[in-house]
Amino acid sequence: EQVEAAEEAASKADRNADEFEAEGMEEEAAEQRQRSEVLKSRASDLRAVMEVLEDAPQSAEAAEVVATQLEESARELEQEGKDDLASETQDMAQGLRRWSRAVKVAS
């Protein structure tokens, strides 16, 4: 809905600019053209965010799988006595799990 509203507002700003130009009001027309460009950019940004959010659940699930693999690797590294690497690997797994939870909440 927000994407459509921004696109409609941009279209209206373009029409207003055309009207201002027809009346010789160049400064007002330029302002409306600038407003239109900002609104078009906003609509594009919103569309991109919506696309990301649509794909987010699958990305969150993939992150959970990777986090599990990282945790397994961390355990193996601990057994090999590589505690620093194990700790860093575990931190990465926890970061992915936090990100995954945040994505699930947001979507």
Side-chain angles (χ1 to χ4, degrees):
E1 291 178 21
Q2 292 177 349
V3 173
E4 291 174 5
E7 288 173 340
E8 288 175 22
S11 180
K12 182 177 179 183
D14 280 335
R15 288 192 302 275
N16 288 344
D18 291 342
E19 290 175 18
F20 285 133
E21 283 178 352
E23 295 176 17
M25 302 169 70
E26 296 301 322
E27 189 174 317
E28 289 84 354
E31 288 175 11
Q32 289 298 309
R33 295 268 183 237
Q34 183 178 13
R35 181 171 187 260
S36 172
E37 290 306 312
V38 168
L39 289 166
K40 287 176 185 175
S41 176
R42 179 174 174 236
S44 176
D45 292 347
L46 286 170
R47 185 174 286 109
V49 167
M50 297 303 291
E51 289 173 7
V52 168
L53 288 176
E54 286 175 9
D55 294 337
Q58 295 86 0
S59 297
E61 289 175 23
E64 289 287 335
V65 170
V66 172
T68 299
Q69 292 170 343
L70 286 170
E71 288 168 344
E72 290 171 6
S73 294
R75 283 190 292 276
E76 291 171 7
L77 289 166
E78 272 183 350
Q79 290 173 353
E80 294 172 9
K82 299 177 181 176
D83 294 339
D84 288 347
L85 285 174
S87 177
E88 289 177 25
T89 304
Q90 185 62 38
D91 289 348
M92 286 188 282
Q94 289 173 352
L96 276 174
R97 291 210 187 277
R98 281 192 299 274
W99 177 84
S100 177
R101 283 192 300 271
V103 166
K104 288 176 182 177
V105 168
S107 56

